[in-house]
Amino acid sequence: MAQSPYTDLARPPLNPVALRRALVVPGGLWTDLALHEATASTNADAATAAREGVPEGLVVVAERQTAGRGRLDRRWESPARAGLAVSVLLRPEKVPAHRYGWLPLLAGVALTGAVRGIAELDAVLKWPNDLLVDGRKCGGILAEAVHDAVILGIGLNVTLRPDELPGPDATSLALEGAGSTDRDPLLRALLRALAQWYERWRDAEGDPDTSGLRAAYLDDCATLGQQVRVALPDGADLVGVATEIDDDGRLVVQPEGAPAQAVASGDVVYVRR
Ligand code: BT5
């Protein structure tokens, strides 16, 4: 699709030199930042790096993805420079593996903070990690394990117009009236918050309470207390009240007249009582 010059003006490119200077600093978590004009998927790129033994702290950003991935083989679609597509490579060696379920939630907390702080919008999370503004999906997170590494991928809709969204349940910061749609400060705020939360959580060996992560997640997440239907990966449905996030980042659902169940992954739909 041909883009008008006005579209291009509204969607300036990211500046990799400035981003590196701001984010790749001595003693910091981020060790390198690669910015691609186009790539299949930043998560796939970071996963390849993980397999090659690249140390933790790599950041991969793309102006456009040709095969952006969602969970369960779904797609993440966005026009060039209309949003953020970023993946980070982490190796949480001192954290027990059963706590890794907190990583996508941690990314959600960082993303919510960046959107509230820079775009000045009232963003909330839907467990596990959809970023919703006014009830519509504005961002998504994909966590993938590659051997002992974890790739955290984050997609955020910044200036997408209605005709560019995948459907009526999606939105962008611009469409919600954001105070700023400048992707540079958004990306900086996101990566700084991500590093801060990750270091706290890792230094607490993944403990959600001593790190403060559970409290922060509960503040940002609108799912608790809701009547939900969770579509589980095996095709089953679980209906009940979402009551808590357990020590491993799982959602606890209390069905009527049956024991509570903790779910590690699934798609949540809010159901009216
Ligand atoms: C997600 O999956 O929401 C995770 C999305 C992660 C994308 C990032 S971008 C950088 C990194 N590199 C990658 O290749 N991926 C990550 P899920 O919860 O499965 O939601 C996917 C569904 O969201 C799709 O099936 C669509 O219905 C919808 N969707 C696709 N693109 C969207 C968009 N731009 N905005 C809102 N919804 C979208």
Side-chain angles (χ1 to χ4, degrees):
M1 186 174 62
Q3 303 216 322
S4 83
Y6 301 103
T7 310
D8 283 342
L9 280 179
R11 293 177 177 170
L14 290 165
N15 177 340
V17 178
L19 284 169
R20 258 179 232 124
R21 199 184 303 128
L23 294 162
V24 182
V25 294
L29 176 66
W30 309 124
T31 52
D32 193 11
L33 185 145
L35 175 64
H36 301 295
E37 209 30 58
T39 193
S41 150
T42 56
N43 257 46
D45 292 342
T48 302
R51 278 186 215 98
E52 289 166 353
V54 169
E56 112 169 325
L58 170 70
V59 179
V60 183
V61 182
E63 294 287 37
R64 183 167 69 90
Q65 295 185 113
T66 54
R69 307 208 286 234
R71 296 176 299 147
L72 305 170
D73 288 329
R74 293 186 288 228
R75 295 287 302 259
W76 182 259
E77 314 266 7
S78 180
R81 300 186 307 281
L84 291 176
V86 53
S87 299
V88 299
L89 162 50
L90 300 172
R91 296 187 184 276
E93 279 151 17
K94 288 191 198 121
V95 176
H98 62 93
R99 298 275 206 236
Y100 284 17
W102 278 102
L103 279 168
L105 310 192
L106 186 157
V109 169
L111 181 62
T112 309
V115 167
R116 287 182 183 165
I118 306 293
E120 298 168 21
L121 289 173
D122 188 14
V124 296
L125 294 168
K126 186 175 80 167
W127 185 93
N129 46 36
D130 281 354
L131 182 92
L132 304 185
V133 182
D134 199 16
R136 296 192 188 86
K137 182 158 170 168
C138 193
I141 291 158
L142 173 65
E144 294 180 289
V146 180
H147 306 306
D148 55 352
V150 175
I151 310 301
L152 280 182
I154 300 164
L156 178 68
N157 297 336
V158 181
T159 59
L160 283 88
R161 296 182 301 260
D163 59 306
E164 295 173 321
L165 296 169
D169 296 336
T171 191
S172 69
L173 299 182
L175 289 172
E176 297 298 327
S180 165
T181 54
D182 189 342
R183 292 182 306 144
D184 180 276
L186 274 168
L187 183 56
R188 290 182 194 209
L190 169 62
L191 287 168
R192 286 195 175 122
L194 198 52
Q196 223 169 43
W197 274 113
Y198 175 70
E199 284 169 348
R200 267 202 228 174
W201 175 80
R202 181 199 58 194
D203 295 348
E205 291 170 18
D207 187 303
D209 296 318
T210 53
S211 64
L213 181 57
R214 178 161 24 206
Y217 186 79
L218 292 177
D219 267 354
D220 291 349
C221 178
T223 306
L224 280 292
Q226 301 260 13
Q227 177 85 11
V228 296
R229 188 172 66 239
V230 189
L232 300 170
D234 68 0
D237 262 358
L238 174 63
V239 178
V241 177
T243 56
E244 59 175 312
I245 307 294
D246 79 3
D247 289 350
D248 295 337
R250 297 179 300 179
L251 181 71
V252 179
V253 177
Q254 177 68 64
E256 219 175 286
Q261 270 188 59
V263 295
S265 60
D267 289 305
V268 170
V269 178
Y270 297 143
V271 193
R272 280 205 195 86
R273 274 181 230 231

